[in-house]
PDB file of all heavy atoms in Angstrom:
ATOM      1  N   PHE C 374      24.971  32.332  25.314  1.00  0.00           N
ATOM      2  CA  PHE C 374      26.060  32.078  26.257  1.00  0.00           C
ATOM      3  C   PHE C 374      25.447  31.954  27.648  1.00  0.00           C
ATOM      4  O   PHE C 374      24.676  32.815  28.073  1.00  0.00           O
ATOM      5  CB  PHE C 374      27.073  33.223  26.229  1.00  0.00           C
ATOM      6  CG  PHE C 374      27.540  33.572  24.838  1.00  0.00           C
ATOM      7  CD1 PHE C 374      26.866  34.525  24.086  1.00  0.00           C
ATOM      8  CD2 PHE C 374      28.638  32.941  24.285  1.00  0.00           C
ATOM      9  CE1 PHE C 374      27.281  34.859  22.813  1.00  0.00           C
ATOM     10  CE2 PHE C 374      29.064  33.260  22.999  1.00  0.00           C
ATOM     11  CZ  PHE C 374      28.387  34.217  22.264  1.00  0.00           C
ATOM     12  N   SER C 375      25.767  30.860  28.358  1.00  0.00           N
ATOM     13  CA  SER C 375      25.147  30.604  29.661  1.00  0.00           C
ATOM     14  C   SER C 375      26.179  30.037  30.630  1.00  0.00           C
ATOM     15  O   SER C 375      27.105  29.319  30.224  1.00  0.00           O
ATOM     16  CB  SER C 375      23.988  29.619  29.507  1.00  0.00           C
ATOM     17  OG  SER C 375      23.427  29.282  30.756  1.00  0.00           O
ATOM     18  N   ASN C 376      25.995  30.375  31.926  1.00  0.00           N
ATOM     19  CA  ASN C 376      26.849  29.758  32.946  1.00  0.00           C
ATOM     20  C   ASN C 376      26.290  28.431  33.429  1.00  0.00           C
ATOM     21  O   ASN C 376      26.850  27.809  34.331  1.00  0.00           O
ATOM     22  CB  ASN C 376      27.064  30.717  34.126  1.00  0.00           C
ATOM     23  CG  ASN C 376      25.774  31.004  34.881  1.00  0.00           C
ATOM     24  OD1 ASN C 376      24.683  30.568  34.469  1.00  0.00           O
ATOM     25  ND2 ASN C 376      25.871  31.739  35.977  1.00  0.00           N
ATOM     26  N   ASP C 377      25.185  27.992  32.854  1.00  0.00           N
ATOM     27  CA  ASP C 377      24.677  26.650  33.110  1.00  0.00           C
ATOM     28  C   ASP C 377      25.585  25.657  32.390  1.00  0.00           C
ATOM     29  O   ASP C 377      25.714  25.691  31.160  1.00  0.00           O
ATOM     30  CB  ASP C 377      23.247  26.526  32.587  1.00  0.00           C
ATOM     31  CG  ASP C 377      22.622  25.175  32.882  1.00  0.00           C
ATOM     32  OD1 ASP C 377      23.367  24.220  33.186  1.00  0.00           O
ATOM     33  OD2 ASP C 377      21.392  25.068  32.822  1.00  0.00           O
ATOM     34  N   PRO C 378      26.253  24.735  33.104  1.00  0.00           N
ATOM     35  CA  PRO C 378      27.181  23.810  32.437  1.00  0.00           C
ATOM     36  C   PRO C 378      26.505  22.895  31.432  1.00  0.00           C
ATOM     37  O   PRO C 378      27.171  22.383  30.519  1.00  0.00           O
ATOM     38  CB  PRO C 378      27.789  23.014  33.597  1.00  0.00           C
ATOM     39  CG  PRO C 378      26.805  23.151  34.721  1.00  0.00           C
ATOM     40  CD  PRO C 378      26.185  24.502  34.562  1.00  0.00           C
ATOM     41  N   THR C 379      25.234  22.660  31.575  1.00  0.00           N
ATOM     42  CA  THR C 379      24.528  21.813  30.610  1.00  0.00           C
ATOM     43  C   THR C 379      24.321  22.538  29.293  1.00  0.00           C
ATOM     44  O   THR C 379      24.491  21.964  28.211  1.00  0.00           O
ATOM     45  CB  THR C 379      23.181  21.357  31.178  1.00  0.00           C
ATOM     46  OG1 THR C 379      23.386  20.678  32.410  1.00  0.00           O
ATOM     47  CG2 THR C 379      22.466  20.437  30.203  1.00  0.00           C
ATOM     48  N   LEU C 380      23.961  23.815  29.361  1.00  0.00           N
ATOM     49  CA  LEU C 380      23.733  24.583  28.145  1.00  0.00           C
ATOM     50  C   LEU C 380      25.032  25.095  27.546  1.00  0.00           C
ATOM     51  O   LEU C 380      25.306  24.917  26.359  1.00  0.00           O
ATOM     52  CB  LEU C 380      22.795  25.756  28.444  1.00  0.00           C
ATOM     53  CG  LEU C 380      21.314  25.435  28.619  1.00  0.00           C
ATOM     54  CD1 LEU C 380      20.544  26.698  28.934  1.00  0.00           C
ATOM     55  CD2 LEU C 380      20.758  24.776  27.370  1.00  0.00           C
ATOM     56  N   GLY C 381      25.855  25.763  28.376  1.00  0.00           N
ATOM     57  CA  GLY C 381      27.104  26.323  27.870  1.00  0.00           C
ATOM     58  C   GLY C 381      26.853  27.333  26.766  1.00  0.00           C
ATOM     59  O   GLY C 381      25.894  28.101  26.802  1.00  0.00           O
ATOM     60  N   ASN C 382      27.724  27.324  25.780  1.00  0.00           N
ATOM     61  CA  ASN C 382      27.598  28.211  24.623  1.00  0.00           C
ATOM     62  C   ASN C 382      27.017  27.422  23.447  1.00  0.00           C
ATOM     63  O   ASN C 382      27.403  26.274  23.219  1.00  0.00           O
ATOM     64  CB  ASN C 382      28.948  28.805  24.243  1.00  0.00           C
ATOM     65  CG  ASN C 382      29.592  29.552  25.393  1.00  0.00           C
ATOM     66  OD1 ASN C 382      28.899  30.109  26.246  1.00  0.00           O
ATOM     67  ND2 ASN C 382      30.923  29.568  25.425  1.00  0.00           N
ATOM     68  N   ALA C 383      26.126  28.050  22.711  1.00  0.00           N
ATOM     69  CA  ALA C 383      25.446  27.321  21.643  1.00  0.00           C
ATOM     70  C   ALA C 383      25.108  28.252  20.492  1.00  0.00           C
ATOM     71  O   ALA C 383      24.954  29.467  20.668  1.00  0.00           O
ATOM     72  CB  ALA C 383      24.172  26.661  22.171  1.00  0.00           C
ATOM     73  N   LEU C 384      24.986  27.666  19.296  1.00  0.00           N
ATOM     74  CA  LEU C 384      24.603  28.407  18.107  1.00  0.00           C
ATOM     75  C   LEU C 384      23.089  28.499  17.990  1.00  0.00           C
ATOM     76  O   LEU C 384      22.348  27.632  18.474  1.00  0.00           O
ATOM     77  CB  LEU C 384      25.163  27.732  16.854  1.00  0.00           C
ATOM     78  CG  LEU C 384      26.685  27.754  16.660  1.00  0.00           C
ATOM     79  CD1 LEU C 384      27.064  26.965  15.414  1.00  0.00           C
ATOM     80  CD2 LEU C 384      27.189  29.190  16.551  1.00  0.00           C
ATOM     81  N   ILE C 385      22.630  29.546  17.321  1.00  0.00           N
ATOM     82  CA  ILE C 385      21.216  29.749  17.014  1.00  0.00           C
ATOM     83  C   ILE C 385      21.101  29.946  15.508  1.00  0.00           C
ATOM     84  O   ILE C 385      21.707  30.863  14.947  1.00  0.00           O
ATOM     85  CB  ILE C 385      20.648  30.974  17.750  1.00  0.00           C
ATOM     86  CG1 ILE C 385      20.745  30.799  19.250  1.00  0.00           C
ATOM     87  CG2 ILE C 385      19.208  31.235  17.319  1.00  0.00           C
ATOM     88  CD1 ILE C 385      20.373  32.048  20.037  1.00  0.00           C
ATOM     89  N   GLN C 386      20.359  29.083  14.842  1.00  0.00           N
ATOM     90  CA  GLN C 386      20.144  29.199  13.407  1.00  0.00           C
ATOM     91  C   GLN C 386      18.675  28.908  13.100  1.00  0.00           C
ATOM     92  O   GLN C 386      18.117  27.918  13.585  1.00  0.00           O
ATOM     93  CB  GLN C 386      21.024  28.215  12.630  1.00  0.00           C
ATOM     94  CG  GLN C 386      22.522  28.441  12.758  1.00  0.00           C
ATOM     95  CD  GLN C 386      22.983  29.676  12.026  1.00  0.00           C
ATOM     96  OE1 GLN C 386      22.568  29.931  10.892  1.00  0.00           O
ATOM     97  NE2 GLN C 386      23.838  30.463  12.663  1.00  0.00           N
ATOM     98  N   GLY C 387      18.067  29.765  12.305  1.00  0.00           N
ATOM     99  CA  GLY C 387      16.686  29.544  11.895  1.00  0.00           C
ATOM    100  C   GLY C 387      16.437  30.121  10.516  1.00  0.00           C
ATOM    101  O   GLY C 387      16.889  31.230  10.201  1.00  0.00           O
TER     102      GLY C 387
END
Side-chain angles (χ1 to χ4, degrees):
F374 309 90
S375 176
N376 65 355
D377 183 342
T379 303
L380 284 179
N382 303 330
L384 292 176
I385 299 172
Q386 296 289 316

